[in-house]
Amino acid sequence: MNDIFSAIQASAKRIKEAIDVKDIGYSQQENSSGETQLELDIKSDMIIEEEFSKVASIHTIASEEKTHQELLHEDGKYYIAYDPLDGSSLVDVNLSVGSIFGIYEGGFGADKMVAACYVVYGPRVEMVFAHNKVKLYLLQAGDFEFVKEIHLNNKGKLMAPGGTQQNWPPYHKVMIDNFFAQGYRLRYSGGMVPDLHQILLKGGGLFSYPATSDKPDGKLRRLFEVFPFAFVYEKAGGEAVNGTEPLLSLGFAHVHDTSPCFFGSKKEVSVVKEVYSQNV
Ligand code: F6P
């Protein structure tokens, strides 16, 4: 696992440089989710692939930017699904973006997840690595330094409600309105990594991306986004569900499958489960 940790660190430093200097124009290509790829998405994907190719323990990679999985080392045991630059369209308005990694052993699937990691590129570059514990690292003078372990409070104060409100199910809107009526504060940038990072570091709350009328299976991708953050939140003492079921109990049929998702402190997620079990 140490070699993977180092490869992610090496990738993060190179992606940070690319963000700082690269022209962020649109490419002519679309990714598997039908989004037009930015040059920066492609560049970040290439950097990660290059760094992972040097790690013999990695068997196969699947990238949000690639249609198919790619075999790297026949004898490796780890399968890594990654989103090289999540929220990359926020770079041109100078908001934070991130890379997300799900590390699976023996094949892809929530039940095979052994670690998860994400990197936030903001005013500072931070990395969160979840294995047995959830640890925060900060890039300082060219190296990632350990900062602290992360633990979620039982109840938080922040609310990050994703998706277009007019397409939310009515009971979801009532639930979110009720949270705000209790004093929760809105914190939503439109970048999954910084939005979930903020809730984690500020002690808790709820990030939601529900099933909507235009996206009945949600928007966020299971292997690249949903399972890794579910793993991080659970290891930090929170919970992650699709409404009624733990996200980490879900399967997947295709590497680009999506799921409605809710990540948060235990208190907020218990409200989600109550509301959804009565309505779905
Ligand atoms: O991966 C897609 C993404 O950009 C996430 O980073 C983010 O949480 C979400 O989409 C935002 O979606 P919306 O604009 O629909 O709320």
Side-chain angles (χ1 to χ4, degrees), residues 86-87 162-163 188 190-192 207 209 219-221 225:
D86 188 77
Y188 193 76
M192 181 184 196
F207 174 101
Y209 206 108
K219 177 183 184 187
L220 301 175
R221 282 142 284 220
E225 297 169 311

Side-chain angles (χ1 to χ4, degrees), residues 50-116:
E50 265 175 33
E51 295 297 334
F52 282 172
S53 303
K54 300 177 202 162
V55 180
S57 63
I58 302 177
H59 187 284
T60 294
I61 53 173
S63 164
E64 207 251 303
E65 300 301 333
K66 296 186 206 304
T67 322
H68 300 292
Q69 307 177 20
E70 224 169 274
L71 172 71
L72 291 186
H73 304 101
E74 198 71 67
D75 295 330
K77 63 175 178 178
Y78 295 113
Y79 287 62
I80 304 187
Y82 61 92
D83 186 346
L85 204 60
D86 188 77
S88 54
S89 63
L90 297 174
V91 171
D92 59 0
V93 290
N94 205 14
L95 284 173
S96 299
V97 292
S99 303
I100 313 170
F101 303 86
I103 302 164
Y104 305 86
E105 193 172 329
F108 291 112
D111 54 334
K112 300 188 178 70
M113 178 161 257
V114 289

Side-chain angles (χ1 to χ4, degrees), residues 29-70:
Q29 303 167 36
E30 283 190 350
N31 66 16
S32 299
S33 307
E35 298 160 346
T36 306
Q37 288 175 306
L38 294 173
E39 300 283 355
L40 208 44
D41 290 319
I42 298 168
K43 172 87 181 164
S44 305
D45 187 33
M46 214 187 68
I47 289 172
I48 294 171
E49 184 178 342
E50 265 175 33
E51 295 297 334
F52 282 172
S53 303
K54 300 177 202 162
V55 180
S57 63
I58 302 177
H59 187 284
T60 294
I61 53 173
S63 164
E64 207 251 303
E65 300 301 333
K66 296 186 206 304
T67 322
H68 300 292
Q69 307 177 20
E70 224 169 274

Side-chain angles (χ1 to χ4, degrees), residues 101-237:
F101 303 86
I103 302 164
Y104 305 86
E105 193 172 329
F108 291 112
D111 54 334
K112 300 188 178 70
M113 178 161 257
V114 289
C117 178
Y118 66 83
V119 180
V120 193
Y121 311 95
R124 302 187 298 196
V125 177
E126 292 185 326
M127 165 185 288
V128 169
F129 198 89
H131 187 31
N132 297 320
K133 296 174 173 169
V134 183
K135 295 182 177 176
L136 173 70
Y137 299 83
L138 172 66
L139 183 62
Q140 265 180 324
D143 283 312
F144 279 95
E145 306 285 347
F146 172 72
V147 179
K148 62 175 180 180
E149 274 182 32
I150 301 177
H151 302 278
L152 273 165
N153 295 339
N154 189 50
K155 179 182 181 308
K157 295 181 179 151
L158 305 183
M159 198 50 42
T164 310
Q165 291 202 25
Q166 66 185 29
N167 299 330
W168 286 354
Y171 53 87
H172 180 81
K173 175 149 177 49
V174 171
M175 180 183 78
I176 298 292
D177 286 348
N178 281 341
F179 277 122
F180 284 123
Q182 290 164 40
Y184 281 83
R185 279 174 289 149
L186 175 66
R187 292 291 182 270
Y188 193 76
S189 74
M192 181 184 196
V193 177
D195 288 340
L196 279 159
H197 188 57
Q198 179 166 207
I199 290 173
L200 259 188
L201 290 191
K202 302 275 189 197
L206 182 73
F207 174 101
S208 50
Y209 206 108
T212 53
S213 52
D214 56 335
K215 293 188 177 76
D217 293 321
K219 177 183 184 187
L220 301 175
R221 282 142 284 220
R222 296 185 185 205
L223 286 181
F224 313 112
E225 297 169 311
V226 172
F227 293 162
F229 270 110
F231 191 90
V232 171
Y233 265 62
E234 288 203 353
K235 290 282 176 194

